Amino acid sequence: MRTVRPIVEIDQEHRIVYCGMLSSQEKASIDDILNVLKDEIPKVEGDLKNKYGNKVTYKYYLGKFLDVLLNKYKISTSERRLFWDEIKILASKESRKRNEGKNSKKRSFYEQCFILAQLDLEAVEKLSWRQWQDLLDRTVSREDPRIFDWIRCFIEKVRQDDWREFLKALNMYLKNKDTSVFTNEELFAIYDTLILMSMKWRILFAEFKKDYPKSAKIKNKSAWSKKYYAKCFEMKKRNKRLIDDVLCNEVFYKLMVPNLRG
């Protein structure tokens, strides 16, 4: 069992550098693990990519393999990010341009693959890899994992632009809210409402662009979508109304059409 977890890096001369006071026995143990990773990771990544391409199923099964490694080498939850960094730096042949940050696990490619592997494949396949990344980057997915159960119930895949707007509305609505007080039925109803609002925004904004192609609001789409969601929430609370197609239409046109100079 590994009692010390150093951060392993590569210096300018491509040598392994250990951070921490290690005995020769501990270094030998770590070297053995790294040698295994250097052999196994490229092969597994290559085999999965050949079979699944860049689809989300590739990341799911890679996560399954990573789960095996965590158990095999007794890597604790607190040590995972360091372990992912060791794999990325020393073992993987894949080139990924995405900035993962240095401290947080949530943006780590391998951490996100590992999280997907804890879910049902049926749920994982309901979203694209990009959509999963957008969700897993956010705190909401860690604070209440029931969103994964909601995703599993999707009948059709969600468009990328609708999903992006959904996450925006989700952050706005659930900010500083404790979702644990909601039953599954209540929480799923909230999610259903937010995705409806997002889809309506996309449809109504497309019509708006055609009808008012010179409106300055078109260039500030993101800011106006936030105002639209905020107004929908306000109308729901103030008038005790359900957020449905009628309310979404009403809010959109009151917000967007009267003052086209905005």
Side-chain angles (χ1 to χ4, degrees):
M1 181 175 179
R2 302 169 72 183
T3 57
V4 179
R5 284 291 299 157
I7 297 176
V8 182
E9 298 178 342
I10 298 292
D11 66 12
Q12 292 181 347
E13 297 181 6
H14 301 284
R15 295 174 302 190
I16 294 177
V17 177
Y18 304 96
C19 301
M21 299 297 293
L22 303 174
S23 67
S24 58
Q25 183 177 357
E26 287 169 332
K27 286 185 178 181
S29 174
I30 292 170
D31 286 343
D32 286 343
I33 294 173
L34 294 179
N35 286 332
V36 171
L37 293 180
K38 286 178 183 179
D39 290 336
E40 291 189 4
I41 292 295
K43 182 178 185 307
V44 170
E45 287 183 333
D47 289 346
L48 290 175
K49 198 164 189 178
N50 287 337
K51 186 172 183 178
Y52 299 108
N54 277 320
K55 294 181 179 179
V56 71
T57 42
Y58 158 45
K59 283 76 175 182
Y60 172 80
Y61 286 111
L62 178 58
K64 288 290 187 185
F65 176 71
L66 295 172
D67 196 9
V68 172
L69 293 182
L70 294 179
N71 290 313
K72 180 179 180 180
Y73 297 125
K74 298 181 174 61
I75 307 298
S76 69
T77 300
S78 61
E79 296 171 334
R80 281 209 310 257
R81 179 56 201 253
L82 297 178
F83 190 61
W84 302 147
D85 287 344
E86 289 176 2
I87 293 176
K88 181 177 68 174
I89 295 170
L90 300 172
S92 178
K93 303 299 183 183
E94 293 285 332
S95 176
R96 299 184 179 92
K97 298 179 180 179
R98 191 169 186 259
N99 181 13
E100 297 184 351
K102 294 183 178 180
N103 299 316
S104 174
K105 283 190 298 187
K106 68 179 182 178
R107 285 182 62 85
S108 167
F109 170 78
Y110 291 115
E111 175 71 10
Q112 294 184 342
C113 291
F114 170 74
I115 292 174
L116 288 189
Q118 313 309 305
L119 309 177
D120 292 339
L121 180 59
E122 181 182 359
V124 171
E125 291 181 322
K126 293 298 175 69
L127 296 178
S128 68
W129 171 240
R130 181 177 176 183
Q131 288 171 324
W132 276 114
Q133 283 187 308
D134 288 344
L135 175 62
L136 296 175
D137 282 349
R138 298 170 188 262
T139 305
V140 65
S141 65
R142 300 190 305 281
E143 291 184 341
D144 197 328
R146 287 181 292 173
I147 194 170
F148 302 139
D149 297 323
W150 175 71
I151 290 170
R152 188 176 183 274
C153 297
F154 286 177
I155 297 175
E156 298 179 349
K157 290 188 175 181
V158 181
R159 289 170 53 123
Q160 176 60 27
D161 47 359
D162 288 343
W163 186 248
R164 185 170 55 250
E165 289 296 327
F166 164 75
L167 292 177
K168 185 191 299 182
L170 181 68
N171 281 351
M172 291 177 63
Y173 187 76
L174 295 182
K175 186 177 182 181
N176 300 323
K177 285 187 175 69
D178 178 10
T179 58
S180 66
V181 302
F182 299 125
T183 65
N184 286 359
E185 184 178 359
E186 290 169 336
L187 186 61
F188 292 179
I190 291 172
Y191 294 152
D192 289 342
T193 296
L194 297 177
I195 197 70
L196 168 67
M197 292 168 58
S198 304
M199 294 171 67
K200 288 296 295 182
W201 166 260
R202 185 244 310 162
I203 294 169
L204 293 171
F205 191 83
E207 295 175 353
F208 177 80
K209 284 178 65 177
K210 291 181 180 178
D211 294 338
Y212 304 98
K214 296 183 180 181
S215 171
K217 293 178 179 179
I218 294 174
K219 295 182 180 180
N220 297 304
K221 180 179 179 181
S222 180
W224 283 101
S225 70
K226 290 181 180 179
K227 293 179 182 180
Y228 159 79
Y229 298 131
K231 193 67 176 177
C232 285
F233 299 148
E234 179 189 329
M235 292 280 287
K236 174 182 183 295
K237 183 177 181 179
R238 186 178 64 196
N239 300 328
K240 298 187 181 338
R241 291 177 59 184
L242 292 175
I243 296 179
D244 54 14
D245 283 6
V246 174
L247 186 143
C248 289
N249 287 340
E250 181 182 327
V251 167
F252 184 90
Y253 287 109
K254 282 185 177 180
L255 182 68
M256 299 294 287
V257 177
N259 181 19
L260 291 177
R261 295 181 181 178

